[in-house]
Amino acid sequence: VYQNTPNPFGGMTELRYDLPVAGQVKIEVFDSLGRKVATIAEEYQTAGRKVRQWDAGTLPSGVYFYRLTAGNFVSTKKLLLLK
């Protein structure tokens, strides 16, 4: 899992990650209070490098976290939305 780009971002950002094996993937975004604000992916994906775009245009500026879960692997990264 790589840091989103750009970061900070103004509405649209890219999330990049590598899957060593195919499997179920879930990507969720949470606000600083831990409330889920978006589900970017919840699907079976093949192995390889992946890129997802996320449009946070309706959310207020602030700190957010995205969590990628793939099998037993879980990774969380911080996002900074500035409008």
Side-chain angles (χ1 to χ4, degrees):
V1 178
Y2 303 97
Q3 187 62 52
N4 66 300
T5 55
N7 192 34
F9 67 105
M12 184 69 81
T13 190
E14 285 189 344
L15 311 175
R16 297 174 186 269
Y17 54 97
D18 294 327
L19 290 179
V21 296
Q24 191 68 24
V25 173
K26 183 188 282 189
I27 304 172
E28 298 171 299
V29 180
F30 300 88
D31 66 14
S32 59
L33 298 176
R35 298 176 294 206
K36 184 167 64 170
V37 298
T39 299
I40 298 172
E42 190 168 8
E43 63 198 23
Y44 183 87
Q45 294 183 6
T46 59
R49 179 152 293 172
K50 308 294 179 182
V51 177
R52 285 292 175 124
Q53 292 190 340
W54 180 50
D55 183 359
T58 62
L59 294 172
S61 294
V63 175
Y64 294 87
F65 299 88
Y66 78 93
R67 180 174 64 202
L68 182 139
T69 305
N72 294 327
F73 176 82
V74 178
S75 180
T76 303
K77 298 284 187 187
K78 183 166 56 171
L79 309 150
L80 182 56
L81 174 59
L82 296 176
K83 292 188 173 182

